[in-house]
Amino acid sequence: MKKCCDTAKNDVTDNKVSEHLHKHEAALRLLKTARGQMNAVIKMIENDRYCVDISTQLLAAVSLLKKANTSIINKHMETCVRAAIEDGNVDEKLEELKQIMIYIEKAL
Amino acid sequence: MKKCCDTAKNDVTDNKVSEHLHKHEAALRLLKTARGQMNAVIKMIENDRYCVDISTQLLAAVSLLKKANTSIINKHMETCVRAAIEDGNVDEKLEELKQIMIYIEKAL
Amino acid sequence: MKKCCDTAKNDVTDNKVSEHLHKHEAALRLLKTARGQMNAVIKMIENDRYCVDISTQLLAAVSLLKKANTSIINKHMETCVRAAIEDGNVDEKLEELKQIMIYIEKAL
Amino acid sequence: MKKCCDTAKNDVTDNKVSEHLHKHEAALRLLKTARGQMNAVIKMIENDRYCVDISTQLLAAVSLLKKANTSIINKHMETCVRAAIEDGNVDEKLEELKQIMIYIEKAL
């Protein structure tokens, strides 16, 4: 399992997790809200709620996931890509970014 | 809370739920898979997994949600819209479909 | 070549085209603006303009096309779908709408 | 008007344009096909063709534009971003990529 470039840095900081924010804090918040919405959507279906209301809620969750994805990729550029560039190790990062652009085109 | 047009019909069927499939069965399956992926994504972030792997998994969940949404809207046309048309009550349904098209344009 | 349900109605109106608006007037305006943007994008590439500026302009054209598509589908519901319902001929329309939802999911 | 990083290099090559491919050759081809489709869509509307056929053709153009956008961004990474990194000038490029990710989230 590939680890994030930030991991080492996080390991040396002390354990007072509450005192430092996770680099993907914003994405985490969005994802947890979206997870709540998806649980609501599943319950709405099970309770035979109206299709249009279900779809509206589902589309709201999609919007949050897209925002979360942008947040993750942009933090990745600020941290992992920047770190790799400073280490003169840029080819793999650019290859990965190109691959993710293809996934984004297909999923969004 | 607005109910689905199918509810009455479901109520008269007996309680052996396992014997009849929910009209949004396909969507439910997709949504539960997507929920599993989203839980995985949240855990990946908390475990400092690599950003690109997180994004890839997140985009897979988005694709499933889009498929689930299509499934919900299309079942809605087969059931609620068709039933409303038979009842000569079509204006509200068309208005709702138009509204959902605008949401889809903004969310997808 | 399949014609729009509105065609007959348009044919009986007189030729003073300037006096009545085409039912897809809003979509036409969006599409013509998008076409101008796309011509600009092609010229920008040929003039070796900066990639990021090209992409920004291209994404603006995509947004307009999505808006134009919503406009076309929604006018379709107001006119062709409504007319078909009044003629008691609804199956084909619902089938077509379901098909277009699948295309929308894949393209948007 | 900001120029592409490749321009200088292109300027020193001789004028036999037909002998070297433009770096955005793939995107250009997609964009010209999409432009043809959009001209067809505009004509279809003016000829009162069937809404569903118009929408189908329009969605095909959107798919091509999304592919063209991925192609442009990925060539940008291979050329401009790589060149900027070699020049130790990476901040602006990462900022721009982050900005374009936000546009992509909103437009796609």
Side-chain angles (χ1 to χ4, degrees):
Chain A
M1 289 196 313
K2 203 166 172 187
K3 280 290 194 172
C4 182
C5 62
D6 252 24
T7 313
K9 197 162 33 181
N10 285 341
D11 286 350
V12 295
T13 62
D14 57 81
N15 288 324
K16 283 176 264 172
V17 184
S18 59
E19 286 185 15
H20 85 284
L21 285 177
H22 193 283
K23 99 175 174 184
H24 289 311
E25 192 63 28
L28 258 183
R29 236 184 355 254
L30 291 164
L31 287 165
K32 286 177 178 173
T33 306
R35 179 170 60 180
Q37 289 178 326
M38 280 186 55
N39 283 329
V41 166
I42 289 170
K43 202 161 288 177
M44 287 168 88
I45 292 179
E46 288 168 346
N47 292 341
D48 286 315
R49 290 279 302 280
Y50 189 47
C51 310
V52 170
D53 297 335
I54 296 169
S55 169
T56 304
Q57 181 79 349
L58 180 47
L59 291 169
V62 170
S63 289
L64 288 189
L65 294 190
K66 289 169 75 169
K67 252 196 238 302
N69 186 60
T70 307
S71 172
I72 288 164
I73 299 292
N74 283 0
K75 278 291 165 186
H76 174 62
M77 303 226 215
E78 283 174 24
T79 55
C80 307
V81 176
R82 181 178 295 281
I85 290 169
E86 283 163 10
D87 293 352
N89 178 12
V90 83
D91 286 1
E92 190 193 349
K93 295 299 157 200
L94 290 182
E95 249 351 281
E96 285 171 354
L97 282 176
K98 286 165 60 183
Q99 188 57 51
I100 213 77
M101 294 307 296
I102 294 172
Y103 289 152
I104 285 173
E105 177 207 317
K106 297 204 185 306
L108 302 197
Chain B
M1 288 198 311
K2 202 166 173 187
K3 283 289 194 172
C4 184
C5 61
D6 252 24
T7 313
K9 197 162 33 181
N10 285 340
D11 286 350
V12 294
T13 61
D14 56 79
N15 288 323
K16 283 176 263 172
V17 184
S18 58
E19 285 184 15
H20 86 285
L21 285 177
H22 194 283
K23 101 174 172 185
H24 289 312
E25 190 63 28
L28 258 183
R29 238 186 352 255
L30 291 163
L31 287 165
K32 286 178 177 173
T33 307
R35 178 169 62 179
Q37 289 178 327
M38 279 186 55
N39 283 329
V41 165
I42 289 170
K43 202 161 285 176
M44 286 168 88
I45 292 180
E46 288 168 346
N47 292 341
D48 287 315
R49 290 280 300 281
Y50 189 47
C51 310
V52 171
D53 298 336
I54 297 169
S55 169
T56 304
Q57 181 79 351
L58 179 48
L59 291 169
V62 171
S63 290
L64 288 188
L65 294 190
K66 289 170 75 170
K67 254 196 239 299
N69 186 60
T70 306
S71 172
I72 288 164
I73 298 292
N74 283 358
K75 279 290 166 189
H76 174 62
M77 303 227 215
E78 284 174 24
T79 56
C80 308
V81 177
R82 179 178 297 280
I85 290 168
E86 284 163 9
D87 294 352
N89 178 11
V90 82
D91 286 1
E92 190 193 349
K93 295 301 158 200
L94 290 182
E95 248 350 281
E96 285 172 353
L97 281 177
K98 286 165 61 182
Q99 188 57 51
I100 213 77
M101 294 308 296
I102 294 172
Y103 289 152
I104 285 174
E105 175 206 319
K106 295 205 186 308
L108 302 199
Chain C
M1 287 197 316
K2 203 166 170 185
K3 281 289 195 174
C4 184
C5 62
D6 252 24
T7 313
K9 198 162 34 180
N10 285 341
D11 285 351
V12 294
T13 61
D14 57 80
N15 289 324
K16 282 175 262 172
V17 184
S18 59
E19 286 184 14
H20 85 285
L21 285 176
H22 193 283
K23 98 175 175 185
H24 289 311
E25 191 63 27
L28 258 184
R29 237 186 352 257
L30 291 164
L31 286 165
K32 285 177 178 174
T33 307
R35 178 169 62 179
Q37 289 178 327
M38 279 186 56
N39 284 329
V41 166
I42 288 169
K43 202 162 285 176
M44 286 169 89
I45 291 180
E46 287 167 347
N47 292 342
D48 287 315
R49 291 280 301 282
Y50 188 47
C51 311
V52 170
D53 297 335
I54 296 169
S55 169
T56 304
Q57 181 79 351
L58 180 48
L59 291 169
V62 170
S63 290
L64 288 189
L65 294 190
K66 289 170 74 169
K67 252 195 239 302
N69 186 60
T70 306
S71 172
I72 288 164
I73 298 292
N74 284 358
K75 279 289 166 189
H76 174 62
M77 303 226 214
E78 283 174 25
T79 55
C80 308
V81 176
R82 180 177 297 280
I85 290 169
E86 284 163 10
D87 294 351
N89 177 11
V90 83
D91 285 1
E92 190 193 349
K93 294 299 159 202
L94 290 182
E95 247 353 280
E96 285 171 354
L97 281 176
K98 286 165 61 182
Q99 188 57 51
I100 213 79
M101 293 308 295
I102 293 172
Y103 289 152
I104 285 174
E105 176 206 317
K106 296 204 186 307
L108 301 199
Chain D
M1 288 197 314
K2 203 166 172 187
K3 281 289 195 174
C4 183
C5 62
D6 252 25
T7 314
K9 198 163 32 182
N10 286 341
D11 285 351
V12 293
T13 61
D14 57 81
N15 288 325
K16 283 175 264 173
V17 184
S18 58
E19 286 186 14
H20 85 285
L21 286 176
H22 195 283
K23 98 175 174 185
H24 289 311
E25 191 64 26
L28 258 183
R29 237 185 353 253
L30 291 164
L31 287 165
K32 286 178 178 173
T33 306
R35 178 169 60 180
Q37 289 178 328
M38 281 186 53
N39 283 329
V41 166
I42 288 170
K43 203 161 287 176
M44 285 168 89
I45 292 180
E46 288 168 348
N47 292 341
D48 287 315
R49 289 280 301 281
Y50 188 47
C51 310
V52 171
D53 297 335
I54 296 169
S55 169
T56 304
Q57 181 79 350
L58 179 47
L59 291 169
V62 171
S63 289
L64 287 189
L65 293 190
K66 288 170 75 170
K67 252 196 241 298
N69 186 61
T70 306
S71 172
I72 288 164
I73 298 292
N74 284 359
K75 278 290 166 187
H76 174 61
M77 303 227 214
E78 282 173 24
T79 55
C80 308
V81 177
R82 181 177 295 282
I85 290 169
E86 283 163 11
D87 293 352
N89 179 12
V90 83
D91 286 0
E92 190 194 350
K93 294 300 157 200
L94 290 182
E95 247 353 281
E96 285 171 353
L97 281 176
K98 286 165 60 183
Q99 189 56 52
I100 213 78
M101 293 307 296
I102 293 171
Y103 290 151
I104 284 174
E105 176 206 318
K106 297 205 186 306
L108 302 198

Short mmCIF file of all heavy atoms in Angstrom, two decimals, chain A residues 10-62:
data_model
loop_
_atom_site.label_atom_id
_atom_site.label_comp_id
_atom_site.label_asym_id
_atom_site.label_seq_id
_atom_site.Cartn_x
_atom_site.Cartn_y
_atom_site.Cartn_z
N ASN A 10 4.33 13.51 9.14
CA ASN A 10 3.32 13.36 10.18
C ASN A 10 3.82 12.51 11.33
O ASN A 10 3.50 12.74 12.48
CB ASN A 10 2.04 12.73 9.61
CG ASN A 10 1.25 13.72 8.77
OD1 ASN A 10 1.47 14.93 8.91
ND2 ASN A 10 0.39 13.23 7.90
N ASP A 11 4.63 11.49 11.00
CA ASP A 11 5.10 10.58 12.03
C ASP A 11 5.99 11.28 13.06
O ASP A 11 5.97 10.94 14.23
CB ASP A 11 5.87 9.40 11.40
CG ASP A 11 4.89 8.44 10.72
OD1 ASP A 11 3.68 8.62 10.93
OD2 ASP A 11 5.34 7.54 10.00
N VAL A 12 6.79 12.23 12.61
CA VAL A 12 7.69 12.89 13.55
C VAL A 12 6.95 13.91 14.43
O VAL A 12 7.40 14.24 15.51
CB VAL A 12 8.89 13.59 12.86
CG1 VAL A 12 9.79 12.54 12.21
CG2 VAL A 12 8.40 14.60 11.84
N THR A 13 5.80 14.37 13.93
CA THR A 13 5.06 15.28 14.82
C THR A 13 4.50 14.46 15.97
O THR A 13 4.30 13.26 15.85
CB THR A 13 3.88 15.97 14.09
OG1 THR A 13 2.99 14.94 13.67
CG2 THR A 13 4.35 16.79 12.94
N ASP A 14 4.26 15.12 17.07
CA ASP A 14 3.75 14.38 18.23
C ASP A 14 2.32 13.89 17.99
O ASP A 14 1.73 14.15 16.95
CB ASP A 14 3.79 15.26 19.48
CG ASP A 14 3.01 16.51 19.25
OD1 ASP A 14 1.79 16.47 19.37
OD2 ASP A 14 3.64 17.54 18.91
N ASN A 15 1.81 13.18 18.94
CA ASN A 15 0.53 12.51 18.74
C ASN A 15 -0.69 13.39 18.98
O ASN A 15 -1.81 12.92 18.82
CB ASN A 15 0.44 11.29 19.64
CG ASN A 15 1.38 10.21 19.13
OD1 ASN A 15 1.55 10.06 17.93
ND2 ASN A 15 2.00 9.49 20.05
N LYS A 16 -0.46 14.62 19.37
CA LYS A 16 -1.64 15.46 19.64
C LYS A 16 -2.37 15.77 18.34
O LYS A 16 -2.33 16.88 17.82
CB LYS A 16 -1.22 16.73 20.38
CG LYS A 16 -0.94 16.46 21.88
CD LYS A 16 -0.44 17.71 22.57
CE LYS A 16 1.08 17.70 22.62
NZ LYS A 16 1.69 18.93 23.09
N VAL A 17 -3.02 14.75 17.83
CA VAL A 17 -3.66 14.85 16.52
C VAL A 17 -4.62 16.04 16.46
O VAL A 17 -4.74 16.71 15.45
CB VAL A 17 -4.45 13.56 16.20
CG1 VAL A 17 -5.03 13.62 14.80
CG2 VAL A 17 -3.55 12.36 16.37
N SER A 18 -5.29 16.27 17.57
CA SER A 18 -6.29 17.33 17.58
C SER A 18 -5.67 18.69 17.31
O SER A 18 -6.36 19.62 16.92
CB SER A 18 -7.01 17.35 18.93
OG SER A 18 -6.05 17.57 19.95
N GLU A 19 -4.37 18.77 17.53
CA GLU A 19 -3.74 20.08 17.36
C GLU A 19 -3.28 20.39 15.94
O GLU A 19 -2.98 21.53 15.62
CB GLU A 19 -2.55 20.23 18.33
CG GLU A 19 -3.04 20.45 19.76
CD GLU A 19 -1.89 20.72 20.70
OE1 GLU A 19 -0.78 21.00 20.20
OE2 GLU A 19 -2.10 20.63 21.92
N HIS A 20 -3.13 19.36 15.13
CA HIS A 20 -2.80 19.69 13.74
C HIS A 20 -3.88 19.13 12.82
O HIS A 20 -4.48 18.09 13.09
CB HIS A 20 -1.40 19.18 13.36
CG HIS A 20 -1.38 17.77 12.90
ND1 HIS A 20 -1.48 16.71 13.77
CD2 HIS A 20 -1.27 17.23 11.66
CE1 HIS A 20 -1.41 15.58 13.09
NE2 HIS A 20 -1.30 15.85 11.82
N LEU A 21 -4.13 19.87 11.76
CA LEU A 21 -5.18 19.44 10.84
C LEU A 21 -4.60 18.50 9.80
O LEU A 21 -3.48 18.70 9.32
CB LEU A 21 -5.80 20.66 10.15
CG LEU A 21 -6.73 21.49 11.02
CD1 LEU A 21 -7.21 22.72 10.26
CD2 LEU A 21 -7.93 20.65 11.45
N HIS A 22 -5.34 17.48 9.46
CA HIS A 22 -4.92 16.57 8.39
C HIS A 22 -4.87 17.35 7.09
O HIS A 22 -5.68 18.24 6.86
CB HIS A 22 -5.93 15.43 8.27
CG HIS A 22 -5.44 14.31 7.44
ND1 HIS A 22 -5.41 14.36 6.07
CD2 HIS A 22 -4.92 13.10 7.79
CE1 HIS A 22 -4.91 13.22 5.61
NE2 HIS A 22 -4.61 12.44 6.63
N LYS A 23 -3.91 17.01 6.23
CA LYS A 23 -3.78 17.77 4.98
C LYS A 23 -5.03 17.66 4.12
O LYS A 23 -5.35 18.57 3.36
CB LYS A 23 -2.51 17.36 4.22
CG LYS A 23 -2.68 16.38 3.09
CD LYS A 23 -1.38 16.15 2.36
CE LYS A 23 -1.55 15.04 1.33
NZ LYS A 23 -0.31 14.71 0.64
N HIS A 24 -5.75 16.55 4.23
CA HIS A 24 -6.99 16.41 3.47
C HIS A 24 -8.22 16.71 4.33
O HIS A 24 -9.30 16.16 4.09
CB HIS A 24 -7.10 14.99 2.88
CG HIS A 24 -6.15 14.72 1.77
ND1 HIS A 24 -5.99 15.57 0.70
CD2 HIS A 24 -5.28 13.70 1.55
CE1 HIS A 24 -5.08 15.08 -0.13
NE2 HIS A 24 -4.64 13.96 0.36
N GLU A 25 -8.03 17.59 5.33
CA GLU A 25 -9.13 17.94 6.24
C GLU A 25 -10.40 18.39 5.49
O GLU A 25 -11.50 17.92 5.77
CB GLU A 25 -8.66 19.08 7.16
CG GLU A 25 -9.58 19.34 8.33
CD GLU A 25 -9.68 18.14 9.27
OE1 GLU A 25 -8.71 17.36 9.33
OE2 GLU A 25 -10.72 17.97 9.90
N ALA A 26 -10.20 19.29 4.53
CA ALA A 26 -11.37 19.81 3.80
C ALA A 26 -12.06 18.69 3.04
O ALA A 26 -13.30 18.59 3.05
CB ALA A 26 -10.91 20.91 2.83
N ALA A 27 -11.28 17.82 2.40
CA ALA A 27 -11.87 16.70 1.65
C ALA A 27 -12.60 15.75 2.60
O ALA A 27 -13.70 15.28 2.30
CB ALA A 27 -10.78 15.95 0.89
N LEU A 28 -11.98 15.47 3.75
CA LEU A 28 -12.61 14.58 4.73
C LEU A 28 -13.98 15.09 5.14
O LEU A 28 -14.94 14.32 5.24
CB LEU A 28 -11.73 14.47 5.98
CG LEU A 28 -10.88 13.22 6.14
CD1 LEU A 28 -10.14 13.25 7.46
CD2 LEU A 28 -11.73 11.94 6.04
N ARG A 29 -14.06 16.39 5.42
CA ARG A 29 -15.34 16.98 5.84
C ARG A 29 -16.39 16.80 4.74
O ARG A 29 -17.52 16.40 5.01
CB ARG A 29 -15.14 18.46 6.15
CG ARG A 29 -15.58 18.83 7.56
CD ARG A 29 -15.48 20.30 7.87
NE ARG A 29 -14.90 21.11 6.86
CZ ARG A 29 -13.68 21.65 6.90
NH1 ARG A 29 -12.89 21.45 7.95
NH2 ARG A 29 -13.22 22.40 5.92
N LEU A 30 -15.99 17.09 3.50
CA LEU A 30 -16.92 16.93 2.38
C LEU A 30 -17.36 15.48 2.23
O LEU A 30 -18.54 15.18 2.01
CB LEU A 30 -16.25 17.40 1.07
CG LEU A 30 -15.99 18.90 0.95
CD1 LEU A 30 -15.00 19.18 -0.18
CD2 LEU A 30 -17.30 19.64 0.67
N LEU A 31 -16.40 14.56 2.37
CA LEU A 31 -16.71 13.14 2.18
C LEU A 31 -17.65 12.62 3.27
O LEU A 31 -18.52 11.80 3.00
CB LEU A 31 -15.42 12.32 2.17
CG LEU A 31 -14.58 12.47 0.90
CD1 LEU A 31 -13.17 11.92 1.13
CD2 LEU A 31 -15.25 11.73 -0.26
N LYS A 32 -17.44 13.12 4.50
CA LYS A 32 -18.32 12.65 5.58
C LYS A 32 -19.74 13.19 5.41
O LYS A 32 -20.71 12.48 5.68
CB LYS A 32 -17.72 13.01 6.94
CG LYS A 32 -16.52 12.09 7.27
CD LYS A 32 -15.83 12.44 8.57
CE LYS A 32 -14.69 11.44 8.84
NZ LYS A 32 -13.87 11.85 10.02
N THR A 33 -19.83 14.43 4.94
CA THR A 33 -21.17 14.96 4.63
C THR A 33 -21.81 14.15 3.50
O THR A 33 -22.99 13.77 3.58
CB THR A 33 -21.08 16.45 4.21
OG1 THR A 33 -20.38 17.17 5.22
CG2 THR A 33 -22.46 17.05 4.03
N ALA A 34 -21.03 13.86 2.47
CA ALA A 34 -21.56 13.08 1.34
C ALA A 34 -21.98 11.69 1.80
O ALA A 34 -23.01 11.16 1.34
CB ALA A 34 -20.51 12.98 0.23
N ARG A 35 -21.19 11.08 2.69
CA ARG A 35 -21.56 9.76 3.20
C ARG A 35 -22.90 9.82 3.93
O ARG A 35 -23.76 8.95 3.76
CB ARG A 35 -20.47 9.23 4.13
CG ARG A 35 -20.82 7.86 4.71
CD ARG A 35 -19.65 7.23 5.43
NE ARG A 35 -19.18 8.04 6.54
CZ ARG A 35 -18.16 7.70 7.34
NH1 ARG A 35 -17.51 6.56 7.10
NH2 ARG A 35 -17.78 8.47 8.32
N GLY A 36 -23.10 10.88 4.72
CA GLY A 36 -24.39 11.05 5.39
C GLY A 36 -25.53 11.16 4.38
O GLY A 36 -26.59 10.55 4.54
N GLN A 37 -25.28 11.92 3.30
CA GLN A 37 -26.32 12.07 2.27
C GLN A 37 -26.61 10.75 1.59
O GLN A 37 -27.76 10.44 1.27
CB GLN A 37 -25.87 13.09 1.23
CG GLN A 37 -25.85 14.52 1.75
CD GLN A 37 -25.37 15.50 0.71
OE1 GLN A 37 -24.50 15.17 -0.09
NE2 GLN A 37 -25.90 16.71 0.73
N MET A 38 -25.56 9.95 1.36
CA MET A 38 -25.77 8.66 0.69
C MET A 38 -26.53 7.70 1.59
O MET A 38 -27.38 6.93 1.12
CB MET A 38 -24.46 8.07 0.26
CG MET A 38 -24.00 8.72 -1.02
SD MET A 38 -22.54 7.90 -1.59
CE MET A 38 -23.13 6.21 -1.63
N ASN A 39 -26.24 7.72 2.88
CA ASN A 39 -27.02 6.90 3.81
C ASN A 39 -28.47 7.33 3.77
O ASN A 39 -29.39 6.51 3.78
CB ASN A 39 -26.45 7.00 5.23
CG ASN A 39 -25.19 6.17 5.39
OD1 ASN A 39 -25.04 5.13 4.75
ND2 ASN A 39 -24.27 6.63 6.24
N ALA A 40 -28.69 8.65 3.71
CA ALA A 40 -30.07 9.17 3.61
C ALA A 40 -30.73 8.69 2.32
O ALA A 40 -31.90 8.29 2.32
CB ALA A 40 -30.05 10.70 3.67
N VAL A 41 -29.99 8.72 1.22
CA VAL A 41 -30.55 8.29 -0.07
C VAL A 41 -30.98 6.81 0.00
O VAL A 41 -32.07 6.44 -0.45
CB VAL A 41 -29.52 8.49 -1.21
CG1 VAL A 41 -29.94 7.76 -2.47
CG2 VAL A 41 -29.35 9.98 -1.50
N ILE A 42 -30.10 5.98 0.59
CA ILE A 42 -30.43 4.55 0.69
C ILE A 42 -31.69 4.35 1.54
O ILE A 42 -32.59 3.59 1.17
CB ILE A 42 -29.21 3.78 1.28
CG1 ILE A 42 -28.10 3.72 0.22
CG2 ILE A 42 -29.61 2.38 1.74
CD1 ILE A 42 -26.76 3.22 0.72
N LYS A 43 -31.78 5.11 2.63
CA LYS A 43 -32.96 5.01 3.49
C LYS A 43 -34.21 5.52 2.74
O LYS A 43 -35.29 4.93 2.86
CB LYS A 43 -32.73 5.80 4.79
CG LYS A 43 -33.63 5.35 5.92
CD LYS A 43 -33.08 5.80 7.29
CE LYS A 43 -31.83 5.03 7.72
NZ LYS A 43 -31.24 5.49 8.98
N MET A 44 -34.06 6.60 1.99
CA MET A 44 -35.19 7.13 1.21
C MET A 44 -35.74 6.07 0.25
O MET A 44 -36.95 5.93 0.08
CB MET A 44 -34.77 8.38 0.43
CG MET A 44 -34.58 9.63 1.29
SD MET A 44 -33.75 10.96 0.36
CE MET A 44 -35.18 11.79 -0.39
N ILE A 45 -34.82 5.35 -0.40
CA ILE A 45 -35.28 4.30 -1.33
C ILE A 45 -36.01 3.22 -0.55
O ILE A 45 -37.11 2.78 -0.94
CB ILE A 45 -34.09 3.70 -2.11
CG1 ILE A 45 -33.50 4.75 -3.07
CG2 ILE A 45 -34.52 2.46 -2.88
CD1 ILE A 45 -32.32 4.26 -3.87
N GLU A 46 -35.42 2.80 0.56
CA GLU A 46 -36.04 1.71 1.35
C GLU A 46 -37.40 2.12 1.91
O GLU A 46 -38.27 1.28 2.14
CB GLU A 46 -35.08 1.28 2.46
CG GLU A 46 -33.88 0.50 1.88
CD GLU A 46 -32.75 0.28 2.87
OE1 GLU A 46 -32.74 0.93 3.94
OE2 GLU A 46 -31.86 -0.53 2.56
N ASN A 47 -37.59 3.42 2.13
CA ASN A 47 -38.88 3.92 2.64
C ASN A 47 -39.83 4.36 1.53
O ASN A 47 -40.79 5.08 1.78
CB ASN A 47 -38.64 5.11 3.59
CG ASN A 47 -37.95 4.67 4.87
OD1 ASN A 47 -37.96 3.48 5.21
ND2 ASN A 47 -37.33 5.62 5.57
N ASP A 48 -39.52 3.96 0.28
CA ASP A 48 -40.38 4.31 -0.86
C ASP A 48 -40.64 5.79 -0.97
O ASP A 48 -41.75 6.21 -1.33
CB ASP A 48 -41.71 3.55 -0.77
CG ASP A 48 -41.54 2.08 -1.12
OD1 ASP A 48 -40.85 1.80 -2.11
OD2 ASP A 48 -42.06 1.24 -0.38
N ARG A 49 -39.64 6.59 -0.70
CA ARG A 49 -39.81 8.03 -0.89
C ARG A 49 -39.84 8.35 -2.38
O ARG A 49 -39.45 7.54 -3.23
CB ARG A 49 -38.65 8.78 -0.19
CG ARG A 49 -38.76 8.70 1.34
CD ARG A 49 -39.74 9.73 1.87
NE ARG A 49 -39.35 11.07 1.48
CZ ARG A 49 -38.40 11.77 2.10
NH1 ARG A 49 -37.80 11.29 3.16
NH2 ARG A 49 -38.09 12.97 1.68
N TYR A 50 -40.23 9.57 -2.69
CA TYR A 50 -40.46 9.96 -4.08
C TYR A 50 -39.15 10.02 -4.89
O TYR A 50 -38.18 10.67 -4.46
CB TYR A 50 -41.18 11.30 -4.09
CG TYR A 50 -41.67 11.71 -5.45
CD1 TYR A 50 -42.36 10.82 -6.26
CD2 TYR A 50 -41.43 12.99 -5.94
CE1 TYR A 50 -42.82 11.19 -7.50
CE2 TYR A 50 -41.88 13.37 -7.19
CZ TYR A 50 -42.57 12.45 -7.96
OH TYR A 50 -43.01 12.82 -9.20
N CYS A 51 -39.18 9.40 -6.06
CA CYS A 51 -37.98 9.28 -6.91
C CYS A 51 -37.26 10.61 -7.13
O CYS A 51 -36.03 10.67 -7.12
CB CYS A 51 -38.35 8.73 -8.29
SG CYS A 51 -39.36 7.26 -8.30
N VAL A 52 -38.03 11.66 -7.39
CA VAL A 52 -37.43 12.95 -7.72
C VAL A 52 -36.66 13.50 -6.50
O VAL A 52 -35.57 14.07 -6.64
CB VAL A 52 -38.50 13.95 -8.20
CG1 VAL A 52 -37.94 15.35 -8.32
CG2 VAL A 52 -39.08 13.48 -9.53
N ASP A 53 -37.21 13.28 -5.30
CA ASP A 53 -36.51 13.72 -4.09
C ASP A 53 -35.23 12.90 -3.87
O ASP A 53 -34.20 13.43 -3.44
CB ASP A 53 -37.43 13.59 -2.87
CG ASP A 53 -38.66 14.49 -3.00
OD1 ASP A 53 -38.57 15.50 -3.74
OD2 ASP A 53 -39.69 14.19 -2.38
N ILE A 54 -35.32 11.61 -4.18
CA ILE A 54 -34.13 10.74 -4.06
C ILE A 54 -33.04 11.22 -5.00
O ILE A 54 -31.88 11.39 -4.60
CB ILE A 54 -34.51 9.28 -4.38
CG1 ILE A 54 -35.53 8.74 -3.37
CG2 ILE A 54 -33.27 8.39 -4.42
CD1 ILE A 54 -36.14 7.39 -3.77
N SER A 55 -33.40 11.46 -6.25
CA SER A 55 -32.42 11.88 -7.25
C SER A 55 -31.79 13.22 -6.86
O SER A 55 -30.57 13.41 -7.01
CB SER A 55 -33.10 11.97 -8.62
OG SER A 55 -32.26 12.61 -9.55
N THR A 56 -32.61 14.15 -6.37
CA THR A 56 -32.08 15.47 -5.98
C THR A 56 -31.02 15.33 -4.89
O THR A 56 -29.95 15.95 -4.95
CB THR A 56 -33.24 16.36 -5.46
OG1 THR A 56 -34.24 16.42 -6.47
CG2 THR A 56 -32.76 17.76 -5.14
N GLN A 57 -31.30 14.48 -3.91
CA GLN A 57 -30.36 14.26 -2.81
C GLN A 57 -29.09 13.57 -3.32
O GLN A 57 -27.97 13.90 -2.93
CB GLN A 57 -31.04 13.39 -1.73
CG GLN A 57 -30.20 13.08 -0.52
CD GLN A 57 -30.15 14.24 0.47
OE1 GLN A 57 -30.58 15.36 0.17
NE2 GLN A 57 -29.58 14.00 1.62
N LEU A 58 -29.28 12.60 -4.21
CA LEU A 58 -28.14 11.86 -4.78
C LEU A 58 -27.23 12.81 -5.58
O LEU A 58 -25.99 12.74 -5.47
CB LEU A 58 -28.70 10.75 -5.68
CG LEU A 58 -27.72 9.83 -6.41
CD1 LEU A 58 -26.64 9.31 -5.49
CD2 LEU A 58 -28.49 8.65 -7.02
N LEU A 59 -27.84 13.72 -6.34
CA LEU A 59 -27.03 14.65 -7.14
C LEU A 59 -26.26 15.62 -6.23
O LEU A 59 -25.14 16.03 -6.57
CB LEU A 59 -27.93 15.42 -8.12
CG LEU A 59 -28.52 14.55 -9.25
CD1 LEU A 59 -29.60 15.31 -10.01
CD2 LEU A 59 -27.41 14.11 -10.22
N ALA A 60 -26.85 15.95 -5.08
CA ALA A 60 -26.11 16.79 -4.13
C ALA A 60 -24.86 16.06 -3.63
O ALA A 60 -23.78 16.67 -3.50
CB ALA A 60 -27.01 17.16 -2.95
N ALA A 61 -24.99 14.75 -3.38
CA ALA A 61 -23.83 13.97 -2.94
C ALA A 61 -22.75 13.93 -4.03
O ALA A 61 -21.55 14.05 -3.74
CB ALA A 61 -24.25 12.55 -2.56
N VAL A 62 -23.18 13.80 -5.29
CA VAL A 62 -22.20 13.79 -6.40
C VAL A 62 -21.42 15.10 -6.42
O VAL A 62 -20.18 15.11 -6.57
CB VAL A 62 -22.91 13.55 -7.76
CG1 VAL A 62 -21.95 13.79 -8.92
CG2 VAL A 62 -23.49 12.14 -7.82
#
